Amino acid sequence: PESITVQELANRMAERASDIVRLLSKLDMPGSSYETELDQDTAELVISEFGHNIVRVSDADVEVGMVGEADDPATLVKRPPVVTIMGHVDHGKTSLLDALRGTDVVKGEAGGITQHIGAYQVTLPGGEAVTFLDTPGHEAFTEMRGRGAKVTDIVIIVVAWDDGIMPQTIEAINHTKAAGVPMIVAINKMDKAGADAGRIRQALLQYDVQVESMGGEVQDVEVSAVKKTGLDELIEKILLQAEILELKANPNRAAEGSVIEAKLDKGRGPLATVLVQRGTLKVGDVFVVGAEWGKVRAMLNDKGVQVKTAGPSLPVEILGLSGVPRAGDPFMVVENEARAREVASYRAGLETAKRTVSAPADLASMFMALK
Ligand code: GDP
Ligand code: MG
């Protein structure tokens, strides 16, 4: 967006729109109304006339030198897909996650299959790996996306055949489409008497979801999370979709990723589960995460086992943070603690600025958080 209306600017500055109109007429821009679109220069002039400061949100990371350069294609290596399961309550999301976790061939090495964090990675008999995110409900998914985090490569929409398409199913479909992420429909509870998956395929048409057998391109699979049927086919489709997406990352660089969940643990302090998205994270690395920073004191994988390194698509729990970040916050390894402090405090300042002025998402990337 290259412009902002008088009203919108007034809202952001918590000033009266009529005062802006008055100022504009003084500045030789008479005839303006609340709907008048101001270009960036004019808006900046108005802002300074009102005695506010401008922080260029989209440039913030440029200013502190935190923009990650694109990786040379030659450095890219195949990485596991990251999958989120969404769907209406009681349609079997948790059951399906549990069942899929059971496909892990390295389970039970330590700690059994008790899940430790809100994300896990399974290694399949063929050696491929798939990462499943547990936490993102629809809200978390949207919130993370709002924070610019793109953590999911593929969404599985679970629909219980007997219950059919329900409000949260529709929500999940819409969120997935809005995020531009491919979906796979898992028609669940097929073990129940009278199971009729055709009904679901038919009903999905109403929401612009055309599965392959209906002439579309969305993959679907019949499963029973409880009886553990259809899981191989589901995984096959995930891997097929991953092939199509050509998911790759450079593992040989400073790590970057996103926070999946974070909390304050009484004994261990602030903890964050981070999905590494490029590079390899190592114990001892200094990082910035949102407006917090830290040094990786220890890392635990989804089975609660300490690991020394974590590469692309691996979720790990990190100890050693200055505070609790938020889901969706960007995570980035930096060269030293001074740098980490600098960026974190810069961002903390930005956060304060943003909180004082409501910023609609469509303009957030433009230019103003006001102080
Ligand atoms: P969530 O709310 O989507 O996480 O759904 P849950 O996984 O908690 O499942 C809700 C209920 O449906 C539980 O009682 C499950 O046992 C049951 N359920 C889940 N999957 C299946 C299935 O494949 N077949 C049958 N018969 N019941 C299932
Ligand atoms: Mg559940």
Side-chain angles (χ1 to χ4, degrees), residues 78 128 154 237-247:
K78 193 171 163 188
E128 311 96 326
I154 298 165
K237 300 207 163 176
I238 292 170
L239 294 176
L240 178 64
Q241 187 64 64
E243 276 305 317
I244 295 168
L245 293 170
E246 293 188 68
L247 303 170

Side-chain angles (χ1 to χ4, degrees), residues 85 92-103 113 115 120 134 225 228 231:
I85 301 187
K93 296 179 293 296
T94 303
S95 306
L96 192 56
L97 273 163
D98 287 347
L100 287 164
R101 190 181 303 126
T103 62
I113 58 166
Q115 192 178 343
Y120 64 87
D134 198 351
K228 300 186 178 19
L231 299 183

Side-chain angles (χ1 to χ4, degrees), residues 87-96 188-192 223-227:
H88 198 72
V89 64
D90 283 346
H91 280 204
K93 296 179 293 296
T94 303
S95 306
L96 192 56
N188 192 30
K189 308 201 183 181
M190 291 303 292
D191 59 290
K192 282 191 163 183
V223 299
S224 164
V226 163
K227 294 275 189 275

Side-chain angles (χ1 to χ4, degrees), residues 259-277:
V259 175
I260 302 301
E261 61 183 1
K263 64 179 180 194
L264 185 62
D265 183 90
K266 262 193 190 159
R268 297 182 298 165
L271 300 175
T273 297
V274 170
L275 176 72
V276 177
Q277 294 175 293

Side-chain angles (χ1 to χ4, degrees), residues 63-254:
E63 283 179 38
V64 289
M66 288 293 291
V67 167
E69 335 85 68
D71 288 301
D72 181 342
T75 64
L76 302 180
V77 176
K78 193 171 163 188
R79 66 167 176 85
V82 179
V83 178
T84 299
I85 301 187
M86 297 205 276
H88 198 72
V89 64
D90 283 346
H91 280 204
K93 296 179 293 296
T94 303
S95 306
L96 192 56
L97 273 163
D98 287 347
L100 287 164
R101 190 181 303 126
T103 62
D104 193 351
V105 294
V106 297
K107 73 179 171 212
E109 265 179 10
I113 58 166
T114 312
Q115 192 178 343
H116 186 71
I117 52 180
Y120 64 87
Q121 191 175 81
V122 297
T123 303
L124 302 164
E128 311 96 326
V130 180
T131 299
F132 291 95
L133 299 187
D134 198 351
T135 36
H138 305 170
E139 260 170 50
F141 187 79
T142 313
E143 199 185 312
M144 279 177 150
R145 218 161 61 78
R147 213 156 284 147
K150 187 184 179 293
V151 292
T152 300
D153 300 308
I154 298 165
V155 170
I156 295 176
I157 309 251
V158 185
V159 189
W161 76 266
D162 52 343
D163 208 19
I165 313 291
M166 297 297 279
Q168 286 167 276
T169 318
I170 301 166
E171 233 178 86
I173 290 170
N174 292 338
H175 286 320
T176 306
K177 284 187 174 175
V181 175
M183 67 176 88
I184 297 173
V185 178
I187 305 174
N188 192 30
K189 308 201 183 181
M190 291 303 292
D191 59 290
K192 282 191 163 183
D196 180 6
R199 207 182 103 188
I200 303 299
R201 294 190 185 99
Q202 184 68 40
L204 283 168
L205 293 176
Q206 232 181 298
Y207 303 96
D208 261 336
V209 178
Q210 283 180 300
V211 300
E212 284 174 338
S213 61
M214 301 296 252
E217 297 193 335
V218 175
Q219 304 192 75
D220 69 290
V221 48
E222 299 175 16
V223 299
S224 164
V226 163
K227 294 275 189 275
K228 300 186 178 19
T229 60
L231 299 183
D232 288 349
E233 199 189 338
L234 176 57
I235 285 174
E236 214 172 275
K237 300 207 163 176
I238 292 170
L239 294 176
L240 178 64
Q241 187 64 64
E243 276 305 317
I244 295 168
L245 293 170
E246 293 188 68
L247 303 170
K248 288 175 179 175
N250 173 8
N252 301 309
R253 50 161 292 147

